[in-house]
Amino acid sequence: MSDQDQNDQREIIDKLKGLPQIQDTRNKKEVFSQISSHPDLKRRKINRKKKWMPIVSATAAALFLILLLPVFFNTDTRQISEEDSMNEAYDMPMDETSENYSYEQEQESAGQEINRESAPAEQENSQMETVNESLVVHHVSQDQNIYFAGIPDLQAQYVIPIAFINSGERDLQGFYNNMDEYLGELNSDTGEYLFENVEFEIDHSSYEVAMALPNDFSLNGSAATANMFEKILSEMFRPYGTEKVTIHTDNGEPAEFDPFGDIDEMQLQEMTPSGYKLYELGNTKMLIQIPHNDQTSIEEAIQGMKEDEAELHVFKTVPEDIQFTIEQENNQLNFRFSEDTDFTEGRDSLDMIEAVLMTAKSYGYKQVKFENTEQQHIGPYNLTEPLPVPEAVNPIYLND
Amino acid sequence: MNSVFNKIYDEFHQDLYQFIFYMVKDKHLTEDLLQEVYIKVLNSHKNFKGDSSLKTWLFSIARHVTIDHFRAQERKRKRILEFFDWNEKGQNMKDNKPLPDEVAVQNEEVKQIYEHLDKCTPDQKSVLILRFIQSFSIRETADILKFSTSKVKTTQHRGLKMLRKYLEENKKRGGESNE
């Protein structure tokens, strides 16, 4: 940066620092009174009553009172009733953490879309909600668009593929040029975003993609990061049929793409045969791709899905005691559970079914028939019929 | 009054108010969004594990609430534009919010900076406000925004570049009209 640039920048910073202080003119009591009458706090109180059995509540309340009795005697008697209502609201079970609330809500709505069953009794609700949190998407409606993306795991070992779904007009270029903001929700649980300040130009009819890198773009000379960059780029654009991405820098020169050297295009890889395990960190729970070479059979890939890689926050999707055999029938994979294998309807079983479906997809299968199961339904899936492989994995819904 | 509310109000209320105000530039809206922040904080403060400082946690919630508001506004704006088919023209429409009294009494340069802040992306705006109006360090800003420190630096640089571009354009326009 030239001296002139630095001076200009310093001047702008001084001007920003010179912006006036803006103060809230309301007093504390006024602010508190607005918050304490907010419907969200009241709604939580009602939910709580539904969830707890009256006897348990009464017993807990009695115990609570006995424990706190000495405290009450020492408490300032000026406490007012609105305080009590606030305190009661604080005691709610925290099923929505504030920082990730929007992302979690999106995940819930994704689950509800594939839920075609209703729980008969209220006490089963929580289990059903969990069971139906699907990690894949099978189809989107005509007015919805899927934008494919990916991000490395925290250790940058694997790719977490992601499908952003919105409704309305499709805008590939707009989406990919703002992708960092959409991925922002996952920031703390995943690896570094590699396309910072990269501009995409996308032809919406031919799906030709050009990528402008900032002049100072660098992948720190690491071959692993460069490979990750290439894999994620493939994850983003290969589903549209794009085979290569042309590359240039902001000043029009070919990109110095360490460690590849000067390059002006990058060939995109076809979907690699992969197993799918769970990536669980913080509030993020997603299927993560474990790539294999062409020599690894799908049976070996699924066997590999029985192993945790806890140091990478990657966990098995197929329980160790599940035994199975695999048969191929045209583009259908027959996944036959062994006689003594049993599993119940639940979160783990749904993860297993969806991980196997995605694995089959990566090996080029169109559908999977699960055979020899006592359970006929897992979540939204009817196991008596062949199941089509999903359209995409790890959906995040961008619309309300 | 509740002790959690008391603590947050006493230590952070005015800073949170100012951060949200400079993001949305509307005092009524700031009050509504700040109320949302309080609701989220009070409902989940027991989940706060102390991995980050309380200040960082509060500002990251404030930032989420504000960005969600922008996203909702953006969807609304798109629906309106699609309905009227205004496209480019509509996107360039100026939002004529009156200047708050505190800014209206300032000199022209301060007013220009205040107005041009809206030309920055929400990320750039968040970084510039946190760094130079709220005086947060690069580390604190990175923690709030869940960015790496290098991303904060790049975003800051690009935001300043954006402001500089528009200030220069203004200067040129001023020069031309004087000739």
Side-chain angles (χ1 to χ4, degrees), chain B residues 58-108:
Chain B
L58 292 172
F59 274 85
S60 68
I61 292 170
R63 199 239 174 192
H64 268 293
V65 166
T66 313
I67 295 291
D68 279 354
H69 163 76
F70 284 144
R71 285 183 184 151
Q73 285 294 100
E74 181 63 13
R75 284 192 289 271
K76 199 168 148 191
R77 191 184 66 84
K78 275 187 182 158
R79 279 198 295 273
I80 293 169
L81 287 178
E82 277 163 19
F83 184 74
F84 289 107
D85 195 22
W86 287 349
N87 297 323
E88 282 296 310
K89 196 177 159 193
Q91 286 183 24
N92 293 331
M93 276 192 310
K94 201 177 168 188
D95 186 3
N96 287 317
K97 280 176 195 154
L99 285 179
D101 295 343
E102 294 90 333
V103 178
V105 297
Q106 301 289 327
N107 65 35
E108 204 49 41

Side-chain angles (χ1 to χ4, degrees), chain A residues 165-384:
Chain A
I165 296 169
N166 78 348
S167 44
E169 198 181 333
R170 192 181 198 205
D171 178 10
L172 287 174
Q173 191 162 303
F175 170 79
Y176 285 108
N177 285 327
N178 291 294
M179 195 167 48
D180 57 338
E181 293 194 14
Y182 298 120
L183 287 167
E185 303 275 0
L186 304 168
N187 254 350
S188 57
D189 299 333
T190 56
E192 193 185 352
Y193 175 68
L194 300 177
F195 298 90
E196 184 136 1
N197 300 321
V198 172
E199 292 278 332
F200 292 98
E201 284 171 38
I202 302 169
D203 184 316
H204 281 212
S205 51
S206 64
Y207 293 111
E208 281 175 19
V209 180
M211 189 167 66
L213 306 178
N215 296 333
D216 58 353
F217 183 82
S218 164
L219 289 174
N220 305 323
S222 147
T225 313
N227 284 330
M228 182 58 79
F229 184 93
E230 196 179 0
K231 275 185 201 166
I232 292 180
L233 203 59
S234 304
E235 203 60 49
M236 285 155 57
F237 296 114
R238 204 66 179 83
Y240 306 114
T242 307
E243 291 180 357
K244 67 173 185 193
V245 170
T246 56
I247 302 172
H248 59 89
T249 52
D250 278 348
N251 59 17
E253 299 288 315
E256 263 186 50
F257 208 91
D258 45 17
F260 297 152
D262 282 5
I263 56 170
D264 55 11
E265 66 177 44
M266 193 173 264
Q267 295 294 325
L268 302 184
Q269 305 158 3
E270 284 192 54
M271 194 174 188
T272 319
S274 305
Y276 281 79
K277 294 188 190 178
L278 278 178
Y279 180 71
E280 286 189 274
L281 180 60
N283 290 293
T284 298
K285 178 183 176 182
M286 291 184 150
L287 287 174
I288 191 167
Q289 266 174 8
I290 314 294
H292 295 294
N293 58 35
D294 294 341
Q295 276 75 49
T296 308
S297 69
I298 187 167
E299 189 161 2
E300 288 167 328
I302 296 173
Q303 286 293 354
M305 287 152 60
K306 293 179 176 181
E307 290 163 18
D308 287 339
E309 297 171 63
E311 69 285 3
L312 299 176
H313 312 284
V314 171
F315 301 96
K316 59 175 162 271
T317 40
V318 179
E320 283 163 33
D321 56 351
I322 294 281
Q323 301 301 323
F324 60 91
T325 54
I326 294 283
E327 278 175 21
Q328 182 182 345
E329 193 180 323
N330 299 322
N331 58 12
Q332 176 174 306
L333 180 78
N334 293 329
F335 186 104
R336 186 174 178 79
F337 290 99
S338 304
E339 297 301 329
D340 51 355
T341 294
D342 187 25
F343 59 91
T344 51
E345 179 164 14
R347 176 71 257 177
D348 292 348
S349 302
L350 183 61
D351 291 342
M352 174 178 68
I353 296 294
E354 295 189 330
V356 170
L357 287 174
M358 279 308 300
T359 303
K361 181 179 182 176
S362 78
Y363 275 80
Y365 293 97
K366 300 287 182 212
Q367 53 187 31
V368 178
K369 176 77 176 77
F370 290 94
E371 296 173 331
N372 199 28
T373 60
E374 281 186 19
Q375 285 288 333
Q376 295 194 335
H377 291 87
I378 295 289
Y381 298 109
N382 177 358
L383 300 186
T384 63

Side-chain angles (χ1 to χ4, degrees), chain B residues 58-157:
Chain B
L58 292 172
F59 274 85
S60 68
I61 292 170
R63 199 239 174 192
H64 268 293
V65 166
T66 313
I67 295 291
D68 279 354
H69 163 76
F70 284 144
R71 285 183 184 151
Q73 285 294 100
E74 181 63 13
R75 284 192 289 271
K76 199 168 148 191
R77 191 184 66 84
K78 275 187 182 158
R79 279 198 295 273
I80 293 169
L81 287 178
E82 277 163 19
F83 184 74
F84 289 107
D85 195 22
W86 287 349
N87 297 323
E88 282 296 310
K89 196 177 159 193
Q91 286 183 24
N92 293 331
M93 276 192 310
K94 201 177 168 188
D95 186 3
N96 287 317
K97 280 176 195 154
L99 285 179
D101 295 343
E102 294 90 333
V103 178
V105 297
Q106 301 289 327
N107 65 35
E108 204 49 41
E109 282 190 330
V110 172
K111 285 181 200 164
Q112 278 180 16
I113 282 274
Y114 176 81
E115 279 171 1
H116 292 322
L117 261 180
D118 288 341
K119 306 271 174 39
C120 297
T121 65
D123 276 352
Q124 290 168 352
K125 207 168 161 183
S126 307
V127 168
L128 295 180
I129 294 170
L130 290 170
R131 292 277 295 118
F132 305 121
I133 302 177
Q134 304 290 137
S135 302
F136 281 97
S137 68
I138 287 184
R139 180 74 263 166
E140 285 174 321
T141 307
D143 289 345
I144 290 167
L145 302 178
K146 307 274 191 299
F147 286 0
S148 62
T149 49
S150 63
K151 184 170 177 183
V152 171
K153 287 177 196 165
T154 318
T155 313
Q156 176 181 308
H157 177 70

Side-chain angles (χ1 to χ4, degrees), chain A residues 1-2 4-6 8-13 15-29 31-41 44 79-80 82-83 86-87 89-102 105-106 166 168-169 171 178 180-185 187-188 192-193 196-197 199 214-216 250 398-400, chain B residues 1-6 9-10 13-15 17-18 21-22 27 30-32 34-36 38-47 52 56-57 60-61 64-68 71-72 75 78 82 100 102-103 106 109-111 113-114 117 121-123 128 131-133 135 145-148 150-152 154-158 160-161 163-165 167-168 171:
Chain A
M1 203 190 294
S2 70
Q4 180 62 40
D5 285 345
Q6 277 182 349
D8 287 351
Q9 207 170 78
R10 175 51 52 199
E11 209 176 299
I12 291 167
I13 291 171
K15 283 176 187 163
L16 280 166
K17 287 182 174 172
L19 281 166
Q21 296 282 312
I22 308 284
Q23 299 276 302
D24 188 356
T25 50
R26 298 171 300 163
N27 63 33
K28 191 194 275 188
K29 197 176 168 189
V31 175
F32 183 75
S33 126
Q34 284 172 6
I35 294 163
S36 56
S37 61
H38 195 282
D40 270 6
L41 287 174
R44 285 169 175 273
Q79 282 182 325
I80 52 175
E82 61 183 8
E83 211 176 327
M86 288 296 288
N87 283 333
Y90 298 160
D91 291 338
M92 303 309 304
M94 301 304 167
D95 49 359
E96 288 172 28
T97 62
S98 53
E99 285 196 42
N100 293 288
Y101 67 98
S102 62
Q105 282 164 356
E106 283 153 7
N166 78 348
E169 198 181 333
D171 178 10
N178 291 294
D180 57 338
E181 293 194 14
Y182 298 120
L183 287 167
E185 303 275 0
N187 254 350
S188 57
E192 193 185 352
Y193 175 68
E196 184 136 1
N197 300 321
E199 292 278 332
N215 296 333
D216 58 353
D250 278 348
L398 297 176
N399 300 81
D400 284 334
Chain B
M1 228 173 275
N2 182 274
S3 61
V4 177
F5 171 81
N6 260 335
Y9 185 93
D10 292 345
H13 181 83
Q14 293 299 351
D15 283 347
Y17 181 90
Q18 175 161 277
F21 173 79
Y22 272 111
K27 289 190 175 177
T30 301
E31 288 176 11
D32 290 346
L34 186 50
Q35 176 167 283
E36 251 183 75
Y38 272 111
I39 301 290
K40 288 183 192 310
V41 169
L42 295 176
N43 281 339
S44 62
H45 77 280
K46 285 185 177 171
N47 277 9
S52 57
T56 306
W57 186 59
S60 68
I61 292 170
H64 268 293
V65 166
T66 313
I67 295 291
D68 279 354
R71 285 183 184 151
R75 284 192 289 271
K78 275 187 182 158
E82 277 163 19
E102 294 90 333
V103 178
Q106 301 289 327
E109 282 190 330
V110 172
K111 285 181 200 164
I113 282 274
Y114 176 81
L117 261 180
T121 65
D123 276 352
L128 295 180
R131 292 277 295 118
F132 305 121
I133 302 177
S135 302
L145 302 178
K146 307 274 191 299
F147 286 0
S148 62
S150 63
K151 184 170 177 183
V152 171
T154 318
T155 313
Q156 176 181 308
H157 177 70
R158 291 193 169 239
L160 290 171
K161 208 168 137 188
L163 286 180
R164 184 180 161 191
K165 181 185 149 197
L167 286 172
E168 277 172 1
K171 213 183 253 178

Side-chain angles (χ1 to χ4, degrees), chain A residues 118-136:
Chain A
S118 58
E122 193 176 312
Q123 61 265 37
E124 288 178 13
N125 276 348
S126 62
Q127 189 196 347
M128 288 306 295
E129 278 163 18
T130 312
V131 166
N132 287 309
E133 277 174 15
S134 177
L135 294 173
V136 300

